[in-house]
Amino acid sequence: MSWKMALGGLGLAICAAPALAQTPACAPRDQVVDQLARRYGEVPQSIGLGSDNAVMEVFASAETGTWTITVTTPAGLTCLLASGQAFEAAAALLTPPGSDA
């Protein structure tokens, strides 16, 4: 399993799916977003509202294909849940309803 050090100075590590049972690393959202952008070129790709008004986001880099999934609490604490490689936007892969494809 490969580890990706995210949020450098914060010392937070995120990992690939096999280790999701471990406690996620968390920090204020602005710091997480800044580090994902600066260190990995990852920017928001999708967003959704979860239970208890938690916000789930997928960040990814079109250049490198790396991706990170985060969840942000209403208090602004963002936790890193998973990361990986080979990101592709699903919208380009899906066939619209009613099409002949």
Side-chain angles (χ1 to χ4, degrees):
M1 170 177 60
S2 67
W3 288 86
K4 170 174 145 182
M5 290 307 294
L7 310 177
L10 298 174
L12 302 177
I14 58 178
C15 58
L20 286 177
Q22 297 177 355
T23 304
C26 303
R29 185 181 185 282
D30 59 340
Q31 292 177 13
V32 172
V33 172
D34 180 62
Q35 288 294 319
L36 290 174
R38 285 191 309 111
R39 294 181 62 122
Y40 303 103
E42 294 180 5
V43 295
Q45 300 292 318
S46 61
I47 190 169
L49 188 60
S51 61
D52 298 328
N53 291 321
V55 176
M56 184 282 310
E57 292 177 275
V58 176
F59 292 81
S61 168
E63 284 188 27
T64 66
T66 63
W67 57 265
T68 303
I69 298 174
T70 67
V71 172
T72 302
T73 68
L77 187 63
T78 298
C79 298
L80 306 172
L81 298 184
S83 67
Q85 300 176 4
F87 177 82
E88 292 186 34
L93 303 175
L94 298 177
T95 302
S99 71
D100 292 337

